[in-house]
Amino acid sequence: MAQSIGIPREIYPGEKRVASVPEVVEKLIKLGFKVLVESGAGKQANFSDDAYRAAGAEIIKGAAALWSASDIVLKVRGPNADEVPLMREGGTLISFIWPAQNPDLMQQLTARKATVLAIDCLPRQLSRAQKMDALTSTAGISGYRAVIEAANAFGRFFNGKITAAGKVPPARIFVAGAGVAGLEAIGTAANMGAVVRANDTRAEVADQVKSLGGEFVKVDYEEEGSGGGGYAKVMSEGFQQAQREMYAREAREADIIITTALIPGKPAPRLITAEMVKSMKPGSVIVDMAGEQGGNCELTEPGRAVVRHGVTVIGYTDLPSRLARQASILYANNLLRLAEELCKTKDGEIDVNMEDDAIRGLTVIKEGEITWPPPLLKLQTPPLMSGHGTATPSAPPKPARKSGHGHGKGEPMSIQTMAAVFGIGAALFLLIGAFAPTAFLGHLTVFVLACFVGYMVVWNVTPSLHTPLMSVTNAVSSIIAIGALVQIAPPLAEGVSRPDGLIRFLAIVALALATINMFGGFAVTRRMLEMFRK
């Protein structure tokens, strides 16, 4: 029997998002589920009850009725103490949970014998998990909205202007932390014309900052800051001191500071001190995106915008909800991809497969038993690249054979072996030349030359707009097209017979297929390029 999915109205103060939208409800129904939506669940995100009805959902009045009728509940925020008792015993919950920060909630859900999938626990190292990565979707929205809030509080243009009334300098923005939210903030601010500088403990994001139009500010202290899973790690005291000195310099020059630094399971690191705020120009703005975890700024008041020393310090904790419709659409799509993984048979029944690395990482409670934290992922480590561009093997190399009668794997061919190969080849050509018909020798010569020329043409193609694979296939298709045209065209000299009907038919088919492949390749390339155009 198909299971029912319930979409309750979010009751957390200030939360305007909804866990699913009408467009996604239609797709959930196609997976075999019955979808129930609490009346008014999507109202604050501008999704009406009528839109959900038109998509095939059943509208339920009252939270108690919805929770008791739902086998699976999709939520944005984790349930509070009033919602947990409403949950059907043995039911399934998919939501943001933050198990490390909410041990009491974990115990309450365990008592309901629930199965809980925490969307915030998705193993982000898995490439196939990206389609379910709600953290990335939410962070991108937060970064964009942070710039909008900064622009609203800032008293000038972002971009520089020269007008009849005078010259307006561009705003100077400093972004602390270049994760998903930080990169989105950098790109948005740069597109609005601001001069953007950014810093992150992970040196590898420098190129990403530059590609979005920002300037990467390096701390004068050598230490690697990658902490795995897309997050930064806690740095040493020496690094932190050098970082504070750099932040103090940037604060004096910046018009706007946007901070995004968070470390999972820990309070937000303090990056901006009261002294730094005091050194900023009057009318400057700080947007502290880590407000919910205590804030990166010493003067941040979570959930509020306050003015301190002439500087507006914004500590809003509901940035995604300030773009509720867009945030709901992206989150609903993330949950849809998760539902597809849980219900691969499309029969409306989910299978929480603990052998699947992505599902295992998400599952924090299975049928009333806490399964968090999950075991460490066993990811395959790609071979390291040496300075010469060759792969360095992870295992010790096997000793090479000492005999001259063979060679180890990957070793160059010995002189004796090479001489033997060429000798055998020369003997074969001698036999062919002595006994083969004259016409065959001509065809063989053309064939060998064609193989050589074809190889050189195909493998010397330089990929530009195409991928290397597409470049090679287009080169092969071009050779096929030329060969087919030779077979189809009338003979250029008298006395040369035309190919028979079967050969000409096969040539026409080959020409048609090669042409489809070439034009298809260019069409795909054009569509790829259109994705990056505004």
Side-chain angles (χ1 to χ4, degrees), residues 40-222:
K43 182 178 180 181
Q44 295 196 78
N46 294 315
F47 297 107
S48 66
D49 289 350
D50 289 339
Y52 283 108
R53 283 195 191 94
E58 179 182 345
I59 303 300
I60 305 293
K61 292 187 178 296
L66 179 107
W67 281 83
S68 62
S70 303
D71 300 303
I72 306 160
V73 174
L74 305 183
K75 274 184 59 60
V76 179
R77 299 269 185 171
N80 63 17
D82 295 327
E83 291 176 307
V84 173
L86 302 178
M87 187 175 181
R88 178 185 290 184
E89 189 165 318
T92 300
L93 171 67
I94 303 175
S95 174
F96 282 101
I97 298 294
W98 305 107
Q101 290 91 335
N102 296 294
D104 293 341
L105 175 60
M106 293 285 285
Q107 292 299 327
Q108 293 169 16
L109 292 169
T110 299
R112 301 297 297 173
K113 296 182 172 56
T115 295
V116 181
L117 280 71
I119 201 70
D120 47 275
C121 292
L122 180 76
R124 302 168 82 185
Q125 306 95 314
L126 300 175
S127 58
R128 69 181 185 86
Q130 292 177 3
K131 61 185 178 182
M132 302 178 275
D133 189 359
L135 280 174
T136 294
S137 302
T138 304
I141 290 172
S142 297
Y144 175 86
R145 186 67 195 194
V147 176
I148 302 303
E149 295 294 340
N152 181 56
F154 189 51
R156 291 197 288 107
F157 294 128
F158 267 28
N159 59 325
K161 290 179 179 289
I162 297 177
T163 70
K167 181 180 178 181
V168 180
R172 295 178 64 87
I173 298 179
F174 178 69
V175 180
V180 175
L183 291 172
E184 183 67 34
I186 292 165
T188 303
N191 286 338
M192 293 175 70
V195 175
V196 186
R197 291 162 64 87
N199 168 261
D200 196 282
T201 57
R202 297 160 295 180
E204 65 267 19
V205 304
D207 289 339
Q208 298 175 42
V209 171
K210 293 174 185 175
S211 71
L212 291 168
E215 178 186 349
F216 188 78
V217 183
K218 194 172 184 293
V219 177
D220 190 17
Y221 193 98
E222 293 298 328

Side-chain angles (χ1 to χ4, degrees), residues 243-504:
Q243 187 182 52
R244 282 191 290 268
E245 293 173 1
M246 182 270 291
Y247 282 154
R249 292 194 303 270
E250 293 296 326
R252 287 192 294 269
E253 299 176 2
D255 297 308
I256 296 169
I257 295 178
I258 298 174
T259 66
T260 71
L262 279 175
I263 297 172
K266 296 181 181 294
R270 287 295 167 86
L271 305 178
I272 308 298
T273 65
E275 288 299 316
M276 295 179 195
V277 176
K278 192 180 295 186
S279 72
M280 295 179 72
K281 292 170 282 190
S284 298
V285 179
I286 296 174
V287 181
D288 191 342
M289 295 177 60
E292 198 163 2
Q293 300 299 324
N296 296 138
C297 177
E298 189 176 349
L299 301 181
T300 296
E301 294 188 21
R304 298 182 60 203
V306 297
V307 179
R308 297 288 183 265
H309 307 296
V311 177
T312 303
V313 182
I314 299 173
Y316 295 149
T317 58
D318 61 345
L319 289 174
S321 279
R322 291 171 180 258
L323 281 173
R325 185 179 180 89
Q326 183 66 76
S328 298
I329 291 171
L330 295 182
Y331 183 63
N333 280 321
N334 292 140
L335 295 190
L336 170 65
R337 302 309 171 201
L338 174 56
E340 290 173 344
E341 291 293 317
L342 293 170
C343 182
K344 294 181 178 179
T345 54
K346 298 184 180 181
D347 59 357
E349 294 279 343
I350 65 169
D351 175 25
V352 183
N353 179 13
M354 300 296 273
E355 299 299 318
D356 184 311
D357 287 336
I359 303 302
R360 176 64 187 87
L362 285 167
T363 307
V364 296
I365 301 175
K366 177 71 181 294
E367 297 174 356
E369 293 186 10
I370 293 179
T371 58
W372 183 86
L376 293 175
L377 287 174
K378 296 180 180 179
L379 298 176
Q380 291 185 346
T381 304
L384 299 174
M385 300 303 291
S386 74
H388 299 288
T390 55
T392 303
S394 56
K398 295 181 180 179
R401 296 183 183 180
K402 299 289 180 75
S403 169
H405 300 289
H407 57 281
K409 185 177 180 180
E411 298 173 22
M413 187 181 294
S414 66
I415 296 175
Q416 295 90 337
T417 306
M418 187 180 298
V421 169
F422 274 95
I424 294 171
L428 288 174
F429 276 106
L430 182 62
L431 289 172
I432 293 171
F435 298 102
T438 305
F440 178 78
L441 289 177
H443 289 307
L444 179 63
T445 303
V446 171
F447 174 75
V448 172
L449 289 175
C451 288
F452 176 74
V453 172
Y455 176 84
M456 296 304 293
V457 168
V458 169
W459 294 109
N460 279 300
V461 170
T462 302
S464 51
L465 296 179
H466 297 306
T467 63
L469 177 60
M470 195 177 294
S471 298
V472 170
T473 55
N474 276 350
V476 172
S477 299
S478 301
I479 294 171
I480 293 172
I482 292 170
L485 288 172
V486 169
Q487 295 297 325
I488 295 171
L492 298 177
E494 294 184 7
V496 179
S497 61
R498 296 172 64 90
D500 60 32
L502 177 61
I503 293 176
R504 296 184 67 198

